[in-house]
Amino acid sequence: MALPRVHGSLVRTAAGDGPSRVAVTAHGPIQTATLELGYPMMGEVDIADDSVVFALVLGIRNSARWDGIDLRPGQVFVYPSHGLHQATDSAGMTVGMITAPMTAVQATADQLGRPLDRVEQRVLDGRAAKLLLAVHRQADRRADGDNIMRSLVASLTAGTARPGRSRRASASRAITSSVLGYLADSDEWLPSMVTVCRIASVSERRVETAFHDVYGIAPTVFLRHRALSEARLRLLSAMPGETRVGTIAHDLGFHHLGRFAQQYRDAFGTLPSDTLGTRA
């Protein structure tokens, strides 16, 4: 699922009964998007390049958490360049996005006499959030890009923002990010807790607390979901007769094939052999 000016990894954690779609519209340098996530997921997204991303909570089917914050419809999260968005969603949701180059935002702010030295990662409430939600609705009707940019600047300078992270939450986000960053650059999928603690340079108890703060689950559960999601992707892209389920399971750190099959079925509602068989 390609998203404008962001990259990262959102992994599926269970079967879902709804579609997953993304619709993107360009307004000059600004891009708006609507994402429908029809299944539970969790993971981390990094804001790329010199950009500002506004993530709007449009709808929640059950419960979800971003950056350790329990979500409700109408919230707007602001992410600056290379900000981290860490999410867990238990039942599917609808998200709006507005992305813009930071240079364009700063130029518009200067023109309006509201200079911005920097943009901080935070949560917008009140009038600022309502303004961005209105902008996203207008963008669906191909609103003028200049007007959208002025609204973005107004929301950032409205003075109605509150910090999105406490000191502990910030530290927890850094811990989980360091673990995921290391694993993304390595071939490890199910590292031991000793390895995880070494990566994060903290105790096992602090690692447990960090994952519960950010994702609401234990690190071992998070890592298992991550590995199972990768197994599903590999099975879907493999050719039956040329690839064995056991080979994929072993490569991802699952050394007991029967246990792997049961965990896979619990997560996705089907056996790994059936997923592989869909390519037949």
Side-chain angles (χ1 to χ4, degrees):
M1 184 179 289
L3 300 175
R5 296 194 175 97
V6 303
H7 57 76
S9 176
L10 294 176
V11 301
R12 181 171 179 167
T13 58
D17 57 4
S20 296
R21 294 184 289 255
V22 57
V24 181
T25 305
H27 310 269
I30 302 169
Q31 290 178 298
T32 61
T34 301
L35 293 76
E36 294 182 57
L37 301 173
Y39 51 79
M41 61 83 191
M42 65 178 65
E44 180 176 278
V45 172
D46 178 34
I47 311 307
D49 303 323
D50 185 18
S51 304
V52 182
V53 173
F54 300 83
L56 299 73
V57 184
L58 301 180
I60 303 173
R61 295 172 63 183
N62 189 0
S63 63
R65 177 182 291 189
W66 287 356
D67 306 326
I69 299 171
D70 292 328
L71 298 190
R72 53 182 172 76
Q75 290 170 309
V76 176
F77 288 65
V78 180
Y79 296 98
S81 177
H82 301 297
L84 286 176
H85 167 69
Q86 293 166 311
T88 180
D89 166 32
S90 62
M93 67 188 307
T94 304
V95 180
M97 286 180 60
I98 306 173
T99 65
M102 186 61 199
T103 52
V105 173
Q106 288 174 326
T108 301
D110 291 340
Q111 292 172 4
L112 297 175
R114 298 180 176 184
L116 284 170
D117 293 331
R118 60 195 297 262
V119 174
E120 295 182 346
Q121 186 163 323
R122 53 185 179 169
V123 186
L124 298 181
D125 281 329
R127 288 184 301 170
K130 291 179 180 178
L131 176 62
L132 268 295
L133 290 165
V135 165
H136 191 267
R137 287 194 295 270
Q138 294 166 7
D140 289 341
R141 299 191 293 270
R142 296 190 175 275
D144 178 75
D146 290 338
N147 288 333
I148 295 177
M149 188 68 76
R150 285 191 286 269
S151 296
L152 298 182
V153 171
S155 70
L156 291 171
T157 57
T160 59
R162 63 178 173 81
R165 298 176 291 172
S166 66
R167 182 175 298 178
R168 170 173 146 170
S170 180
S172 292
R173 284 164 49 82
I175 290 169
T176 58
S177 182
S178 67
V179 173
L180 296 185
Y182 171 85
L183 295 178
D185 293 333
S186 71
D187 292 327
E188 291 191 74
W189 290 90
L190 291 172
S192 67
M193 281 301 295
V194 171
T195 300
V196 171
C197 293
R198 176 178 55 79
I199 294 167
S201 300
V202 295
S203 67
E204 181 173 344
R205 182 175 180 180
R206 185 63 185 95
V207 170
E208 292 274 354
T209 300
F211 274 83
H212 276 286
D213 283 347
V214 175
Y215 296 113
I217 59 175
T220 51
V221 176
F222 180 97
L223 295 174
R224 184 171 69 248
H225 279 311
R226 176 176 176 269
L228 287 170
S229 185
E230 176 66 16
R232 182 174 180 275
L233 291 176
R234 295 189 186 188
L235 288 166
L236 285 170
S237 62
M239 293 298 295
E242 298 179 3
T243 303
R244 297 173 62 88
V245 170
T247 301
I248 290 177
H250 187 271
D251 288 347
L252 294 174
F254 296 98
H255 300 302
H256 191 291
L257 188 56
R259 189 176 299 126
F260 163 73
Q262 184 60 55
Q263 290 173 344
Y264 188 96
R265 184 172 187 173
D266 290 343
F268 305 122
T270 187
L271 290 170
S273 56
D274 293 334
T275 301
L276 180 62
T278 59
R279 289 296 303 273

